[in-house]
Amino acid sequence: YSPRRISAKACFYPGSPGARRQGCELPVFQGPMANISTTASFATAVHEAGAFPCLALAGLSIDEACALLEETARLNIPFGAGIVSVAENDQNLDSLIACLEQTQPRLVVVAAPQLDHVQRLLKTGLHLAVHAPNAAMFRVLYDLGVRTFIVEGEEAGGHVSRQGSLSAWQEV
């Protein structure tokens, strides 16, 4: 079964507004996966399958992350980049922001958000999607100016929440 065969005009169909907004055929977002989505060839394969690829920068050195962003940007495909905010010190974050601003991924996913890091990222022209594991964090991030959120529960890897996605979605 393939999403390309969906004929009803639900939110999940080829060429839907969500897909067009991200420059993809399908409204499918491949989330950043450490040690997996860390090559330009992986991003290319995801894009060729019709989805929106997102690179995982967590665990890479600044030089590796910048090289990966530059290589992927040269492919002229839409892509995102995921960072783990809490893992970055201030100096590394500044260097990473410079690389992100230079390569302009369509979306920057911020996991484990440190509020001061989110404030600095919001001052750039980058489009952010920030993890909000519960309603309290959602409200704080919203008040800071974040408008795109990822709300997922413990079944999405266990690193973002102590509750399930359904409960988190209802809470938010």
Side-chain angles (χ1 to χ4, degrees):
Y1 183 75
S2 168
R4 288 185 174 97
R5 295 182 11 198
I6 295 174
S7 60
K9 293 291 183 185
C11 63
F12 190 79
Y13 63 93
S16 70
R20 287 194 312 269
R21 190 171 22 261
Q22 294 303 334
C24 304
E25 178 189 357
L26 300 167
V28 176
F29 174 84
Q30 169 264 305
M33 299 172 286
N35 303 312
I36 297 172
S37 56
T38 55
T39 65
S41 60
F42 186 87
T44 299
V46 170
H47 179 70
E48 288 175 354
F52 181 80
C54 193
L55 303 169
L57 304 182
L60 301 179
S61 71
I62 293 301
D63 289 340
E64 291 170 325
C66 290
L68 176 58
L69 288 166
E70 290 165 4
E71 180 183 2
T72 307
R74 283 192 300 271
L75 297 173
N76 291 318
I77 62 171
F79 72 96
I83 66 171
V84 178
S85 173
V86 74
E88 298 298 339
N89 65 43
D90 288 341
Q91 184 178 357
N92 282 356
L93 183 65
D94 288 340
S95 298
L96 191 53
I97 287 173
C99 291
L100 291 166
E101 288 183 313
Q102 178 187 341
T103 56
Q104 290 294 305
R106 285 195 184 208
L107 185 68
V108 176
V109 175
V110 182
Q114 283 187 208
L115 298 182
D116 61 324
H117 289 182
V118 173
Q119 287 175 319
R120 288 164 62 193
L121 286 160
L122 284 168
K123 291 178 183 173
T124 70
L126 300 166
H127 180 194
L128 306 180
V130 184
H131 281 258
N134 55 50
M137 181 61 93
F138 179 92
R139 283 190 291 277
V140 169
L141 291 167
Y142 186 87
D143 288 346
L144 283 177
V146 175
R147 293 300 180 263
T148 305
F149 297 90
I150 296 173
V151 180
E152 60 186 13
E154 63 185 351
E155 74 279 7
H159 56 281
V160 295
S161 182
R162 292 184 180 195
Q163 62 186 9
S165 292
L166 292 175
S167 297
W169 297 335
Q170 290 175 343
E171 186 179 276
V172 169

